[in-house]
Amino acid sequence: MKIRPDLVPAAERDKLEVVQLTDESIPSSHVYMEAQIFTPDSRRLVLHRSAHPHGSDPKDPEHRYLVCDLEEHCRLAPVTTESGTTAPSISPDGNWLYYFVDRTDPANPGPLTLKRVRLDGSEREVIYVLDHPVPGTDFRLSRPYPLSTISSDGRRIAISGFLGDGRTEGAPWGLLVFELDEPSVRLVFRGPTWCNIHPQYTRQTDADASHHIMIQENHGNVASPDGRTRKLTGGLGADIHLIRDDGTSLRDFPWGRDGNEFCQGHQCWQGRTDVAITSTSTREPDERQLISGRASAHAGHRGMETPDGWRNNLSRSFHGPDFYHFATDVAGRRLITDAGPRDGGGAVWLFDLPGADDGALSNARKVVSPGSSWQKDTHIHPFLAPDGRSGFFNSDESGTLQAYMVRGWS
């Protein structure tokens, strides 16, 4: 670890500390900011080397997931060693890292293996090997999404992927849910518009809510027969839904799809509430806003015009918001976000979330000047520890992508 006071804004240098967590010549980064990669005590997290903010090459022999122990001087220790590891999730009790090993291919089917390991590298075990069609279907999964999501009760893990055979135009993607206590897998839904699902189980802990998954639908996307994306969305863009992990109870969030507001493609839960937040781009005014909302009954992919949809512009108190990626703490009291690139190299901002449904972000603090080149493979992607007392981000300010932490606020 290296202390980096040069990345702290001048107004905060007597209060905050930026720590560079990785320092190899090989690029390293945090896992995507919606991933469940922290232990609940906020002591340890998982990041990865030979990777970028959107994932890694499944054939890269240098790729590793690393456990970072913040209370042991940010010590890094590899927890995976084989190639093809992807889509990590730490169990809600903090005892296990679940991950997948990808040996799939649309034209020449191979296995997708679900494994788990303790964070010290011990007791590694195979949970399920999907080396056959998904039960009850003729589909074989390939191109697994680089993010998985685990239910708040720790009993199910979900991941999406491509269901085509490498030859068929317009082939579907789908969402798989793995049962962990008595290992099995089921296909929850499928279709050609689910190429970028971003599945996120709610953090709510009651028995019913623990089955709900927020998902993204990319209307108008175009892909090759082997599942490579040619066009991510059509004219009205993506919309965001909520669904039970048995495939029932589809609901809609009131965001985007009116020709002026477009979902950027990142959303997250506000702590353990039933409120979610998304980032939008608007044509008029020209802004990148943060909008909260609750899901309501499915009404035909109408976006912000969804009947009975509740929404709130969190960023309305900020002049000219230019926000992209963000996350909250588990309590739903703080939000961290990146802004840029108009702010030369981007910026990381910390806010207090409102206590009332109709409130706005407050107590704005610019906490990092990351010096990012602001390219897709160097995205800042900030997120918070569960307790909200430290933040994490990426930057290539040194010329090589590295992972960082900022801390010191009360």
Side-chain angles (χ1 to χ4, degrees):
M1 58 175 278
K2 295 197 302 187
I3 308 301
R4 296 295 306 273
D6 53 313
L7 301 185
V8 181
E12 298 282 358
R13 284 183 186 161
D14 61 339
K15 308 178 188 72
L16 303 184
E17 178 181 65
V18 168
V19 178
Q20 184 175 331
L21 300 175
T22 60
D23 192 25
E24 291 188 83
S25 59
I26 294 175
S28 297
S29 79
H30 292 295
V31 183
Y32 206 79
M33 56 276 163
E34 69 197 38
Q36 294 153 289
I37 47 73
F38 241 109
T39 56
D41 60 6
S42 296
R43 175 178 172 176
R44 291 175 293 174
L45 74 153
V46 169
L47 50 81
H48 53 172
R49 72 189 293 272
S50 195
H52 55 80
H54 296 270
S56 61
D57 179 353
K59 297 180 180 179
D60 181 3
E62 295 291 336
H63 178 250
R64 300 284 187 277
Y65 286 108
L66 309 175
V67 175
C68 179
D69 193 324
L70 301 178
E71 292 190 1
E72 292 292 334
H73 307 288
C74 303
R75 177 175 56 88
L76 297 170
V79 70
T80 63
T81 56
E82 61 189 312
S83 64
T85 55
T86 189
S89 284
I90 289 180
S91 60
D93 60 12
N95 291 331
W96 297 97
L97 173 69
Y98 288 88
Y99 64 96
F100 291 83
V101 179
D102 177 18
R103 300 280 188 265
T104 68
D105 183 272
N108 300 292
L112 179 71
T113 303
L114 172 59
K115 293 187 173 184
R116 74 175 185 176
V117 62
R118 293 196 180 274
L119 296 188
D120 64 2
S122 67
E123 299 185 48
R124 193 180 310 272
E125 57 186 309
V126 172
I127 303 299
Y128 192 94
V129 180
L130 183 59
D131 58 358
H132 49 78
V134 180
T137 81
D138 295 326
F139 295 111
R140 288 181 177 267
L141 185 134
S142 62
R143 295 189 179 274
Y145 202 62
L147 300 172
S148 66
T149 183
I150 191 166
S151 60
S152 61
D153 58 10
R155 300 178 63 180
R156 296 168 300 282
I157 192 166
I159 190 171
S160 60
F162 184 57
L163 299 173
D165 58 9
R167 303 180 301 276
T168 304
E169 292 283 352
W173 283 262
L175 181 68
L176 301 186
V177 173
F178 291 79
E179 295 286 343
L180 300 177
D181 293 341
E182 297 182 9
S184 63
V185 64
R186 61 182 177 272
L187 178 63
V188 174
F189 62 83
R190 67 180 188 269
T193 55
W194 300 102
C195 67
N196 192 29
I197 292 181
H198 282 271
Q200 294 179 66
Y201 267 109
T202 175
R203 295 179 182 179
Q204 296 175 84
T205 56
D206 68 87
D208 181 63
S210 71
H211 288 273
H212 298 172
I213 305 178
M214 179 164 52
I215 52 176
Q216 177 175 309
E217 184 170 8
N218 281 43
H219 296 277
N221 67 284
V222 179
S224 64
D226 64 354
R228 288 175 293 176
T229 301
R230 291 171 172 164
K231 182 180 180 182
L232 196 57
T233 61
L236 290 178
D239 64 354
I240 317 303
H241 303 281
L242 190 64
I243 195 169
R244 279 186 61 89
D245 60 11
D246 60 3
T248 64
S249 192
L250 181 67
R251 285 149 286 170
D252 304 337
F253 283 94
W255 301 323
R257 292 186 62 77
D258 69 336
N260 183 63
E261 178 181 277
F262 300 85
C263 293
Q264 289 184 32
H266 171 58
Q267 43 279 335
C268 75
W269 291 105
Q270 184 172 322
R272 287 198 169 103
T273 73
D274 64 347
V275 174
I277 305 169
T278 196
S279 51
T280 66
S281 292
T282 55
R283 289 174 171 165
E284 181 59 41
D286 180 16
E287 293 180 348
R288 268 56 55 192
Q289 301 169 351
L290 299 179
I291 310 293
S292 60
R294 288 190 178 94
S296 56
H298 179 56
H301 310 281
R302 296 169 63 182
M304 67 182 300
E305 296 177 356
T306 297
D308 302 318
W310 172 84
R311 53 180 276 141
N312 178 41
N313 185 346
L314 290 169
S315 54
R316 65 183 185 271
S317 62
F318 195 93
H319 178 69
D322 194 31
F323 302 134
Y324 293 81
H325 309 97
F326 57 92
T328 81
D329 61 353
V330 167
R333 296 172 182 166
R334 282 180 169 149
L335 179 143
I336 195 168
T337 181
D338 55 13
R342 62 176 69 157
D343 189 353
V348 177
W349 287 84
L350 183 70
F351 291 94
D352 289 342
L353 283 157
D357 280 354
D358 59 354
L361 296 172
S362 61
N363 194 24
R365 296 175 67 179
K366 182 179 177 181
V367 295
V368 180
S369 298
S372 171
S373 66
W374 203 262
Q375 304 301 307
K376 182 173 182 179
D377 284 352
T378 65
H379 277 175
I380 298 168
H381 282 190
F383 62 98
L384 292 167
D387 63 11
R389 298 178 63 185
S390 52
F392 300 81
F393 65 97
N394 306 306
S395 179
D396 62 337
E397 52 83 24
S398 67
T400 301
L401 184 68
Q402 306 289 355
Y404 300 77
M405 171 178 65
V406 57
R407 61 187 175 186
W409 53 74
S410 57

